[in-house]
């Protein structure tokens, strides 16, 4: 039982799971931004469209995590219908390591972006003409999620199975 | 309230509401108006215009209604928390003062009662008459008793004010401590200090005894009574007060007359309140908004009263406080 836990296959699956955890960050981020958006709309319902854009921004981390999780599953043959291929311990550990960047950066950048988006939403609440600037501030955080996605993707691609 | 709790909904709503605040320019425009009617017209174009009034003498109704609306709107944003109450206790205590004075003088104080306390006026009146303090949480029953007894002994209304002011500040201090928010605690502390500074200046000006200062000294400040007693006895109070955090405030404005000093005090507090402009998720902006509205109401009262008495524009402008936005 314990040996099967530390097999290459298990480590690869654990990697896919960690990548998908980036969704935690997005969920918290979109949640915080959503509360702020509701606050603005409660005062001025016409701003719904503008604040919705900002609320959606922290959602990307979850998508990046999903992407890496999918790539891992394709790589190990889980989605092919032929069953999982056999992996050595080294291969499994490699896939696990490749999933870490997007998993962790996704969680924290999602939360941080949610706060920045909430602040942007408040900016729109006060000065509707400044939507672009508010979006830009929140989008800055996106850079680091994209970088983590890139690292995860490159690492995953270079592992041969 | 836990330290890291965030309130995106409340803060975002308040940020939107901040658009309804009057800017300093708008207030100056009111001050510039040729007649009180014209000033009132400018006021009616703002958020205060919701209340229809018959003439300039009813402008207080406009302010009262708007403030009450604001209190309700803000309280509704964070219904599970009571931190807004800290800013409403002063209204409760004000109403208690009015009701007690009504009781002893047998005159009607109806027009002095204000809405917006934590306790509805009718509940307050009924329980105060029956001396039933159990129904009035947050109100210091002992202080009310003391005020009544003191009045019975001295027949001097000043004691009702000073005893209840003390009780109000200690209630605020207690509530702030319980809340544990540094911004609120600091504000309550500053408010107490500044109230004491004003008392000192007033007592000095009126040439009254030290005893009057001691009786009116409110608790909760960062500057202790011994400091004030030293300042009172010294020939130059400013020199003594220079050592306190309010050194520059006292140095720059204390010798320039009471009106100037009072405005400087309000501006000093506003400067502190403005810190909340840079907070996004914590509850500071919500509290700052209430204080901003109260300052705005004060400015409007000053302007309208001056206008109705045909006071010179330049003098009115000198008295207009700094605005939050």
């Amino acid at each position: 039982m314990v040996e099967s836990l530390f097999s290459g296959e298990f480590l690869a699956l654990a990697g896919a799971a960690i990548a998908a955890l980036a969704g935690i960050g997005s969920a918290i981020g979109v949640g915080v931004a959503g509360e702020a958006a509701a606050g603005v709309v409660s005062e001025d319902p016409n701003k719904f469209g503008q604040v919705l854009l900002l609320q959606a921004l922290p959602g990307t981390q979850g998508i990046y995590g999903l992407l890496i999780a999918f790539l891992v599953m394709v790589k190990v043959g889980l989605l092919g219908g032929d069953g999982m291929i056999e992996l050595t311990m080294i291969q499994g550990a490699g896939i696990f390591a490749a999933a870490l960047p997007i998993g962790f950066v996704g969680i924290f950048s999602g939360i941080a972006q949610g706060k920045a988006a909430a602040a942007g939403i408040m900016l729109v609440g006060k000065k509707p003409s400044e939507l672009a600037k508010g979006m830009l501030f929140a989008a800055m955080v996106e850079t680091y999620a994209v970088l983590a996605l890139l690292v995860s993707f490159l690492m995953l691609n270079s592992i041969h199975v | 309230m836990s330290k890291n709790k965030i309130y995106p909904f409340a803060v975002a709503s308040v940020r939107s509401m901040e658009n309804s605040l009057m800017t300093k320019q708008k207030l100056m425009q009111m001050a510039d108006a040729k007649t009180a009617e014209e000033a009132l017209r400018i006021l009616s174009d703002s958020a205060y215009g919701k209340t229809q009034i018959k003439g300039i003498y009813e402008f207080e109704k406009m302010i009262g209604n708007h403030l009450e609306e604001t209190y309700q709107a803000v309280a509704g944003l964070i219904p599970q928390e009571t931190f807004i109450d800290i800013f409403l206790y002063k209204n409760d205590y004000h109403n208690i003062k009015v009701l007690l004075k009504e009781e002893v003088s047998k005159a009607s104080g109806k027009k002095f009662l204000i809405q917006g306390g934590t306790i509805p006026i009718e509940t307050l009146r009924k329980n105060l008459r029956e001396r039933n303090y159990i129904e009035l949480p947050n109100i210091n029953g002992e202080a009310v008793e003391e005020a009544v007894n003191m009045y019975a002994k001295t027949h001097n209304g000043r004691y009702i004010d000073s005893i209840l002011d003390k009780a109000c500040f200690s209630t605020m201090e207690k509530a702030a401590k319980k809340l544990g928010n540094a911004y609120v605690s600091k504000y309550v502390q500053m408010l107490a200090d500044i109230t004491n500074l004003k008392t000192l200046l007033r007592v000095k000006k009126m040439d009254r005894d030290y005893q009057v200062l001691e009786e009116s000294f409110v608790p909760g400040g960062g500057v202790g009574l011994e400091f004030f007693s030293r300042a009172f006895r010294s020939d130059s109070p400013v020199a003594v007060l220079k050592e306190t955090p309010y050194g520059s405030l006292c140095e720059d404005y204390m010798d320039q007359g009471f009106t100037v000093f009072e405005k400087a005090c309000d501006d000093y507090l506003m400067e502190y309140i403005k810190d909340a402009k840079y907070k996004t998720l914590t509850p500071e902006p919500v509290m700052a908004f209430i204080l901003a509205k109260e300052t705005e109401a004060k400015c409007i009262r000053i302007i309208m009263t001056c206008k109705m008495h045909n006071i010179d524009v330049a003098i009115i402008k000198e008295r207009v406080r700094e605005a939050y936005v």
Side-chain angles (χ1 to χ4, degrees), chain A residues 35-36 39 43 115 122 125-126, chain B residues 8-9 12-13 17-19 280:
Chain A
E35 276 185 52
E43 287 302 311
K115 287 181 186 164
M122 291 170 199
K126 214 170 164 184
Chain B
F9 177 81
S13 305
M17 289 185 205
E18 276 172 14
N19 286 332
T280 44

Side-chain angles (χ1 to χ4, degrees), chain A residues 32 35-40 42-43 47 115 118-119 121-122 125-128, chain B residues 6-9 11-19 77 277 279-281 325:
Chain A
V32 169
E35 276 185 52
V40 169
S42 75
E43 287 302 311
K47 296 205 176 96
K115 287 181 186 164
I121 286 167
M122 291 170 199
K126 214 170 164 184
K127 295 199 160 86
Chain B
I6 57 170
Y7 302 90
F9 177 81
V11 179
S13 305
V14 160
R15 284 269 179 265
S16 301
M17 289 185 205
E18 276 172 14
N19 286 332
L77 291 177
K277 276 186 159 181
K279 305 270 164 61
T280 44
L281 296 170
V325 285

